[in-house]
Amino acid sequence: MKLIRTAFRNCAIVTLPVFACTQSYAQINISCDSINRPALASFDFTEDISRWGTQESFDLDSTHYKIRNISVNRLPIFDEESEDENNAAFRWINRVHTPTHEKVILHQLLFEKGSEVNSQILSENERLLRQQKYAADAKIRVLNKCGDEVDLEVVTREVWTLVPGLSFHSSGGDNSLEFGIRDSNALGTGQRVSAFYSSDTNRNSYKLSFENPNIGSTHRILKTKAEKSSDGFHYLADYSLPFHSLDAREAWRFSFESTKEIIPQYQLGKKITDVQRDKENLEISRGFSAGLKDGIAQRFVIGLRKDKYNYSRSNRLQSPQTMPQDLNLIYPFVEFESIEDKFALAYNISQIHRTEDLAKGKQLRFSIGYDPTGDQHLVLQGNASDTLLSQPKMLLQWKADWYGRWNRQDNAWEDTLINYDLDFHRGQTEKRTLYLGLSASKAIHLNSSQQLTLGGSNGLRGFESHYLNGDALLKFTIEERYFSDYQLLQLLRVGYAGFVDVGKVYGDPQWGADRVYKNVGLGLRLAPSKTDEGRIIHIDLAYPIGANILGGKSLQLVVEAKTSF
């Protein structure tokens, strides 16, 4: 009896949940520490995060802890305890919303009850949960520590996923409209369905898509898309098992994509020619990895790809003087990927008051394939990124990607494009940031259907879309960014930007090359906080400055949705 009284007294002191006190006599003398209380609806996911990057510790050292209990806490869309969100409309949305099934969240975990975890596993699993469309944010918390055992709480913020989609994009004379309906968490299952109609300057399209991101709780993914457009079609079927975690040991993929479309070419923002392209891409591949070793995950993929491109004249505009040559490649390939397990949590860098996962380590993916037939093509593609500087109020990162073909018969590069971006963030206050961005691209022997362009949303916001094109481009952006605490109707977080864009392309002067172009502008940023979209709506007004502007000057409105501020 004295032993039982002691056990109850210890549990009362640390205010443990009831289940924490129902231990066997062999365990009853283990002391328990209460680390956190279960999260409430008002839980702030960024409360304990430094704006410029915090390494999550989970109150655990490097020792592995055994999981005694896992609880899933799905916070409602609206916090009814908050005066700003406690109204009839928001309460009704909370009631009719179908919450994500608990098992859907549990199946995304890299651990289960009885297994062992440490800070690295928990941090990575948080990142995986934040990538899911059914959660606005996610956090894994340690509720109790009892010796070498822990009780975990998986906290997610529900979002409204069944929405009528309506989007409008305007950039330098290019306007597009899209409307339909989508659900990125159909009936709480995590599956994604959508049906849309879209219209832009190139085509009108009807689109259907379906995605199951975790078939049978095995991390296998199925994606299907079907699109019928005024100038062709687009079909996709992709069934894969990706490397779902840094310690994953295998992956495979079966993918087929077929597209028929008309591709326009531009001069000073105006369409002058176009080409019809029929494209087929096929991939069958298998991946292997030894898992996460010494903080680095290295992966190898081998497979077979087919890239088929057929070009023909369209009935809309005249064709280029030289038509692109057809291409039919079937080649084995080898791919290498390396990811450094070096991440941090941040906010108000690329998003507005939303947890951001900063990749601070080196990442590289490189693929090489060879088709021995015909002109004997060597196909290379990949991407790389790294963080050069990360400290309070300063962040400097770079990234690059490339695709190219080496024609051994002609000893020349074909359809080769290399892109490089350098981003610098300098914090001024908790809400203001000076952003500097440098972008460079180099094209080598693009076929006549392709162009390297600058203008509108893809660079110079004070000019028409595709205003400039050439063999290489350089663009520099300065932005003063302000991240406010204001929420419009409790649905949209608001930010502001003032910017200057400077750009130049290199090549033939008749395409606007070899001059420096500049614009100034102001922008409004709206970030939906209650839906599944991690995108930010950009509304920018920009005006060209300087002399010798080809085609004259006019105020440009750019409205679009991007993945970052």
Side-chain angles (χ1 to χ4, degrees), residues 31 58 69 146-147 173 215 217 233 387 393 424 443 467 536-537 551:
S31 62
F58 287 94
N69 187 71
C146 300
I215 297 177
S217 306
F233 54 80
T387 296
K393 296 188 177 183
F424 177 69
Y467 185 73
I536 297 180
I537 301 169

Side-chain angles (χ1 to χ4, degrees), residues 283 305 307 331 333-336 364-369 378-383 401-405 413 417:
E283 178 179 325
R305 288 187 180 130
D307 297 330
Y331 56 94
F333 72 92
V334 177
E335 181 175 290
F336 170 76
L364 170 68
R365 184 184 64 84
F366 180 80
S367 171
I368 181 170
L378 196 66
V379 184
L380 297 94
Q381 57 185 302
N383 54 68
D401 63 82
W402 58 88
Y403 173 85
R405 296 193 305 271
W413 290 103
L417 183 61

